[in-house]
Amino acid sequence: MTGKDIPGLEEARSAIPAGTKINVTFLGNEDLEMRVAAAKAVKDMGFVPVPHISARRLASEAQLAEYLDRLQQVGASEHVFAVGGDPAEPEGPYPDALSLIQSGLFEKYGTNDVSIAGYPEGHPDIPEDVLWRHLEDKYRALQERGLDAVILTQFAFDTDPVTAWVDEVRRRGISSEIRIGTPGPAGIKRLISFARRFGVGANALIVKKYGFSLTNLMGTAGPDRFVTDLAAALAENPASGDVKLHFYTFGGLLATSEWARDYLTGRA
């Protein structure tokens, strides 16, 4: 959710199981008060807030400390997502998520686990070898500081690169929980637009496998096929370890929450 989504969270709360992790984004057009209010709302409604910390949007160490302090005051600093962020040039002393981890401020303000980014289908601006090195460096840095790591991935359409990437994560000795990014139900045009923006594969073969066609972009698509196929693939490979889902709510909190509830009911 964003800082503006508190009404949407209120609308969806009855469809979301208590204790669900809900990420709160760090957008450039939102301020400290909006981010803290959103994290507090998540906590007050019985869920687990995971505020994003965007390294390149932070102007100073004092700004990071203030944000973590405010989060701690509302009981929302235990779980955070450290990410580099969008700006091409850092606005302050933190060029990437690793520098946030190495600041020592997470431990100071009561953080227990830090989510870090994973890219099963690569990143449009970062070479694959650099992505792997960064992932390993962040994982080791968190281990050295006694913090748990959670790998939160960009959303994907195709199970094959996801399962291959999970296998490689484990081969490299990284045993932390992985949460595979999954787009909730949303308009097909919007899904493809987001996919292209973030470098996620959206060619004809993949979207056909996902359940729709590039020649017919009307309507809404849900992740039924992707989730079902991923669950089956992971069940066949116990070495995958602890793998869960993280939903990107492009179509809204309520639509995604209702989809997840109905999917589980159907599977039961």
Side-chain angles (χ1 to χ4, degrees):
M1 63 177 289
T2 72
K4 300 173 183 176
D5 282 339
I6 295 176
L9 181 62
E10 182 69 49
E11 180 185 32
R13 66 186 299 183
S14 63
I16 306 175
T20 296
K21 283 185 172 181
I22 298 180
N23 286 38
V24 179
T25 57
F26 195 108
L27 301 180
N29 61 354
E30 296 179 352
D31 59 20
L32 174 67
E33 299 304 325
M34 293 177 69
R35 297 172 190 136
V36 173
K40 182 178 186 300
V42 172
K43 180 79 171 181
D44 290 347
M45 291 186 206
F47 309 120
V48 177
V50 184
H52 291 197
I53 314 290
S54 181
R56 290 169 174 252
R57 293 192 185 280
L58 293 167
S60 65
E61 179 179 315
Q63 187 179 9
L64 173 58
E66 180 185 19
Y67 187 35
L68 291 170
D69 179 57
R70 291 287 303 279
L71 291 172
Q72 188 177 41
Q73 289 178 34
V74 299
S77 65
E78 292 184 17
H79 315 273
V80 301
F81 176 38
V83 65
D86 293 331
E89 295 295 329
E91 297 176 14
Y94 305 112
D96 50 32
L98 180 61
S99 61
L100 293 177
I101 295 166
Q102 293 173 332
S103 73
L105 291 177
F106 289 143
E107 305 97 291
K108 181 177 178 180
Y109 290 99
T111 300
N112 295 327
D113 69 66
V114 178
S115 295
I116 53 179
Y119 299 92
E121 296 189 54
H123 189 288
D125 301 319
I126 305 175
E128 185 174 355
D129 62 322
V130 176
L131 288 175
W132 282 116
R133 186 172 72 249
H134 285 183
L135 183 65
E136 291 175 317
D137 288 348
K138 287 180 285 189
Y139 177 70
R140 283 196 296 268
L142 289 169
Q143 282 192 311
E144 290 168 0
R145 294 182 172 278
L147 297 170
D148 291 332
V150 177
I151 303 174
L152 177 60
T153 82
Q154 185 53 265
F155 68 87
F157 287 133
D158 190 5
T159 56
D160 291 341
V162 170
T163 54
W165 180 86
V166 170
D167 288 344
E168 180 63 16
V169 170
R170 299 312 186 204
R171 189 191 70 78
R172 291 172 181 259
I174 299 174
S175 59
S176 59
E177 174 186 305
I178 298 173
R179 300 177 78 89
I180 300 297
T182 309
I188 294 171
K189 286 184 178 179
R190 191 176 189 196
L191 286 173
I192 293 176
S193 173
F194 272 104
R196 288 172 175 158
R197 176 183 171 191
F198 292 109
V200 176
N203 61 43
L205 176 63
I206 290 176
V207 294
K208 182 178 179 181
K209 185 173 182 178
Y210 191 70
F212 52 86
S213 168
L214 285 175
T215 60
N216 180 15
L217 300 182
M218 301 303 292
T220 297
D224 306 62
R225 183 175 300 185
F226 175 79
V227 172
T228 299
D229 291 350
L230 182 62
L234 294 173
E236 293 175 359
N237 184 12
S240 298
D242 188 7
V243 181
K244 295 182 172 67
L245 295 176
H246 173 83
F247 288 101
Y248 288 88
T249 57
F250 298 135
L253 286 160
L254 180 60
T256 300
S257 304
E258 289 181 336
W259 177 91
R261 180 194 61 197
D262 295 344
Y263 179 85
L264 286 172
T265 301
R267 295 272 287 185

